[in-house]
Amino acid sequence: MNSSSSVTRFDPTGSISALDAVFEAIVMFRNTEHEELRRLDRYVNADAINCLFGGPNTSTTRIEEGTLSFRYDDMFVTITHDGWIEIVDADAYRTQPVPYGLSAEARTQQSTE
C-alpha cells in the first residue's frame, strides 16, 4: 500500500455496480491483481450493497442519505450514498477513526485531484 487511505468516486447510476466499484477501489489501494484478493461477498452482502448504493444501469440509489462501513482484511471500507468510497488501512483507522462517513479532509483531497 502506498498510503494509509484512499478516496475514489463512482457513479451510482452507471453501468458498474457499487460492489464492483468498491472492489476496484480495493484493488487500486492494495496495488494488486483481482485474483490475489479474497471475494468481497464473503464480507458483505453483494445484493444489499447494490440495492442500497446502486447497481448496473439503475436510475438512482435506494437510499437518499447514509453510509456503510465494513472491515475487509486489513482495511476499513466506507461507501456513501452519493458515490464516495474511502479505504483506510486498519492500523491508521485505529489511530484516527472517522465516525460518520468520509472525513472532510478526504473529500477535500479528492476534490483537488
Side-chain angles (χ1 to χ4, degrees), residues 11 22 39-40 54 63 67 76-77 80 84 108 113:
D11 180 4
V22 168
R39 291 175 44 138
L40 195 55
I63 61 173
T67 64
F76 285 98
V77 178
T80 67
W84 291 97
T108 302
E113 292 179 350

Side-chain angles (χ1 to χ4, degrees), residues 8-107:
T8 58
R9 183 127 193 193
F10 77 101
D11 180 4
T13 63
S15 61
I16 187 171
S17 72
L19 187 74
D20 288 342
V22 168
F23 196 69
E24 287 298 321
I26 291 170
V27 167
M28 289 174 50
F29 179 70
R30 296 285 298 267
N31 193 25
T32 190
E33 298 295 323
H34 294 82
E35 300 80 25
E36 294 182 27
L37 297 174
R38 294 181 191 198
R39 291 175 44 138
L40 195 55
D41 61 0
R42 291 185 173 182
Y43 296 83
V44 294
N45 183 300
D47 292 334
I49 296 288
N50 290 333
C51 181
L52 292 172
F53 296 100
N57 302 314
T58 58
S59 61
T60 186
T61 60
R62 298 285 174 113
I63 61 173
E64 293 180 22
E65 187 175 317
T67 64
L68 173 73
S69 296
F70 60 93
R71 183 170 181 152
Y72 174 79
D73 282 343
D74 60 348
M75 298 163 275
F76 285 98
V77 178
T78 300
I79 183 172
T80 67
H81 71 283
D82 55 352
W84 291 97
I85 301 168
E86 181 176 36
I87 303 170
V88 180
D89 179 76
D91 291 334
Y93 184 85
R94 286 185 195 99
T95 60
Q96 292 185 322
V98 180
Y100 302 106
L102 296 179
S103 64
E105 179 183 324
R107 286 185 187 240

